[in-house]
Amino acid sequence: MSAQQRTGLTVIVLAAGGGTRMKSKTMKVLHPIGGRSMIGHVLTAAQALDPEQVVAVVGHQREAVSAHIHASFPDVVLAVQEEQHGTGHAVRMAVEAVAEQRGQAISGTVLVAYGDTPLLRGDSLREFADEHEAAQRAVSILSGIVPDPFGYGRVLRNDEGDVEAIVEEKDASPEQREVREINSGILAFDAEFLREALPRIGNDNAKGEYYLTDTIALAREDGLTVGAHPIDDVMQTEGVNDRVQLARIGAELNRRIVEGWMREGVTVVDPATTWIDADVVLGADVTILPGTQLLGATVVAEDAVIGPDTTLKDCEIGSAATVVRTQGVLAVVGAEAIVGPFSYLRPGTILGTRGKIGGFVETKNAVIGDGAKVPHLSYVGDAEIGEGTNIGAGTIFANYDGVNKHRTKVGKHARTSSNNTFVAPIEIGDGAATGAGTVVREDVPPGALAVSSGPQRNIEGWAMAKRAGTAQASAAEIALAGRRDDDQGMAES
Ligand code: UD1
Ligand code: MG
């Protein structure tokens, strides 16, 4: 069945458990991994199925989890499970929340997943749901064959290979513990069966919890069809319980993302030191050099070269731009522009086509026009620089008077000299120029040359008079004696 033919699909994501092994103030499912929260990955996978509704069951730290879900996934229905009495109880809370908040009972197919499995992909969920529906089962188990099944619920099959039940680790007999087919936790249900089975689940087991997995045996008792489908890529269903797993799954997620981009035509010189978040978008023939992190919603257009040792978060890089050893946040770099090495692009930086931000330059709220250049050792804050303008080395845009921030505007094709200070608010006109060391405190009209330091005055013989006996004075004496000899020689010739 295709998605359109479905009578209805609900995805329930369980996230009420505490995650104590993370030893964190932050709720487990809110920990970031690959640029999203852990639960963000699962909800994204769920939404890829275009379901009628996604329900998240929250409990521990439910204010924080609910706020996060509400902000990032506003369509998700929130179900509260005040106390965690087991997965069966949690799903019951979800079913009740839908009935209350949506005014109608869940129907069609219900998928249950957990909020701590960040590698889970939407296409895997879809394939599983399709198979479940095609087989017209009451319950389907997304199972996995693992070398070490310890801790998992085991899928029990009869001699014909038909699934009979799931038994939890703590309730399993020694023979049952030998079974290597495990319940990944992802289950698919016929909604009608689920609604009717949930109240029948008891808690007479080792943990005293209402096990969702008891629905398998209940379906069998009712003479309904159940089945299990082992997933090849078991890691997709692997949960994160502590920070060691967080790092391991994070590295695996990154490995998958980086590999995916290489298959799309991106050159990644060193996949091991390249980190790309899940929401980053890269164009064809982008080259990423070692030690590069592309984070958040960063977009890099084709033929751009990024790195080495560059971190860009929520940046937009134009085609064929070059960004070397740079830290950037919320910045836009135009096509064929050059940035770095050692540049710091802060939010609001917009560099035009073929523009340049060079070594040891920090920019913030700065619109730098097409072909304009800030090549060396400068701070450009709250500024607008027109096209084709060149800012001299060591220029400071003094934007802050200690109380307020002010803007500086430099026109087109201006040539400002080295070691200038632009004291905002000021405007430097099109085609204007400044002398070295100028402190610009007033507007400079178009085409004018601004100089602020007085004419140079040399006090002859100062070093010999004031620094007699020093290396400085003797160096000067030797140099002056040399000049006198030269002058004499010239006079004689
Ligand atoms: C569960 C399954 C087990 C499966 C394993 C896979 C049951 C009874 N057991 O066991 O078959 O092999 O997952 O990882 O379903 N949760 C709630 N509310 C609760 C209890 C749990 O929201 O009252 C959530 C947890 O936050 C977690 C998930 O459900 O995301 C699984 O709970 P957990 O306690 O880890 O179940 P397991 O014992 O690991
Ligand atoms: Mg678990």
Side-chain angles (χ1 to χ4, degrees):
M1 259 192 274
S2 76
Q4 283 84 353
Q5 286 169 301
R6 284 192 183 121
T7 47
L9 175 67
T10 296
V11 185
I12 297 173
V13 178
L14 304 189
T20 48
R21 277 176 283 168
M22 293 294 282
K23 298 194 176 154
S24 178
K25 289 184 289 297
T26 304
M27 175 68 180
K28 177 169 84 170
V29 295
L30 297 185
H31 275 259
I33 179 167
R36 293 181 191 143
S37 66
M38 221 169 333
I39 196 168
H41 287 278
V42 179
L43 293 173
T44 303
Q47 287 190 329
L49 277 73
D50 201 16
E52 200 173 313
Q53 60 220 340
V54 177
V55 188
V57 180
V58 298
H60 274 269
Q61 288 193 31
R62 68 182 156 93
E63 290 80 11
V65 181
S66 301
H68 168 69
I69 294 173
H70 190 70
S72 307
F73 302 87
D75 297 336
V76 169
V77 176
L78 293 168
V80 177
Q81 188 192 23
E82 296 281 359
E83 282 170 38
Q84 286 68 57
H85 296 302
T87 50
H89 180 252
V91 168
R92 198 168 166 180
M93 296 301 111
V95 170
E96 285 174 9
V98 170
E100 270 169 37
Q101 294 176 40
R102 295 268 162 127
Q104 62 182 54
I106 285 184
S107 62
T109 296
V110 179
L111 280 178
V112 176
Y114 299 162
D116 63 358
T117 57
L119 294 178
L120 184 63
R121 294 181 55 92
D123 45 11
S124 306
L125 279 180
R126 183 184 297 279
E127 216 176 281
F128 175 57
D130 284 347
E131 202 227 39
H132 163 80
E133 287 173 358
Q136 301 197 308
R137 297 194 194 110
V139 196
S140 298
I141 305 159
L142 189 62
S143 64
I145 313 290
V146 296
D148 178 15
F150 179 79
Y152 288 102
R154 311 296 204 282
V155 177
L156 304 182
R157 294 174 184 268
N158 63 20
D159 293 342
E160 279 75 53
D162 298 329
V163 175
E164 301 235 282
I166 292 175
V167 62
E168 295 302 309
E169 172 79 32
K170 286 190 173 160
D171 303 288
S173 67
E175 305 91 84
Q176 288 169 335
R177 288 194 180 129
E178 295 297 310
V179 173
R180 287 172 46 236
E181 184 177 10
I182 56 108
N183 168 30
S184 71
I186 296 168
L187 301 173
F189 294 92
D190 169 64
E192 233 168 283
F193 164 72
L194 179 67
R195 282 192 281 123
E196 174 276 323
L198 286 173
R200 290 158 62 197
I201 297 174
N203 66 349
D204 183 16
N205 52 49
K207 280 179 149 183
E209 285 187 355
Y210 297 89
Y211 292 162
L212 183 62
T213 45
D214 282 358
T215 53
I216 316 296
L218 290 172
R220 288 291 295 192
E221 276 171 31
D222 295 352
L224 299 170
T225 324
V226 302
H229 167 93
I231 185 171
D232 292 332
D233 183 14
V234 191
M235 272 193 110
Q236 277 193 43
T237 66
E238 204 172 302
V240 171
N241 294 304
D242 60 31
R243 304 211 200 203
V244 175
Q245 280 176 313
L246 183 68
R248 197 168 56 78
I249 296 287
E252 177 60 19
L253 177 61
N254 185 62
R255 197 191 64 72
R256 291 175 180 215
I257 293 170
V258 170
E259 193 175 305
W261 284 117
M262 290 192 286
R263 296 200 188 285
E264 290 293 320
V266 169
T267 295
V268 177
V269 173
D270 184 16
T273 62
T274 299
W275 290 81
I276 303 177
D277 277 353
D279 293 320
V280 168
V281 178
L282 305 177
D285 283 313
V286 161
T287 298
I288 302 175
L289 299 172
T292 294
Q293 295 165 291
L294 301 177
L295 309 176
T298 294
V299 177
V300 182
E302 61 178 6
D303 300 322
V305 180
I306 313 293
D309 302 326
T310 292
T311 301
L312 301 176
K313 182 159 192 256
D314 301 325
C315 288
E316 202 182 305
I317 309 300
S319 57
T322 305
V323 182
V324 182
R325 290 186 209 280
T326 290
Q327 174 92 21
V329 182
L330 280 167
V332 178
V333 172
E336 295 173 51
I338 294 174
V339 177
F342 308 107
S343 306
Y344 181 21
L345 314 184
R346 291 168 54 200
T349 297
I350 302 176
L351 177 62
T353 302
R354 282 190 285 278
K356 177 172 182 166
I357 293 174
F360 303 101
V361 173
E362 175 178 336
T363 59
K364 183 214 74 170
N365 267 337
V367 180
I368 302 171
D370 293 349
K373 293 177 179 164
V374 187
H376 330 274
L377 304 158
S378 294
Y379 171 65
V380 184
D382 300 310
E384 187 185 323
I385 299 173
E387 63 176 60
T389 284
N390 191 88
I391 302 296
T395 295
I396 303 300
F397 284 62
N399 59 330
Y400 186 46
D401 62 14
V403 182
N404 294 307
K405 301 275 171 72
H406 303 281
R407 289 190 72 80
T408 296
K409 190 178 172 199
V410 183
K412 300 174 192 168
H413 300 287
R415 295 282 178 273
T416 68
S417 192
S418 301
N419 199 26
N420 278 197
T421 303
F422 299 156
V423 183
I426 48 143
E427 199 172 323
I428 297 172
D430 293 350
T434 64
T438 302
V439 179
V440 181
R441 295 177 190 277
E442 283 159 34
D443 290 355
V444 182
L449 168 68
V451 287
S452 67
S453 35
Q456 181 173 323
R457 196 160 62 95
N458 295 336
I459 299 165
E460 302 278 350
W462 180 88
M464 287 73 85
K466 300 288 186 188
R467 296 289 183 270
T470 66
Q472 181 188 5
S474 65
E477 272 161 10
I478 291 164
L480 288 169
R483 277 196 192 175
R484 278 193 297 273
D485 289 350
D486 284 352
D487 290 351
Q488 218 165 351
M490 251 188 292
E492 280 164 9
S493 64

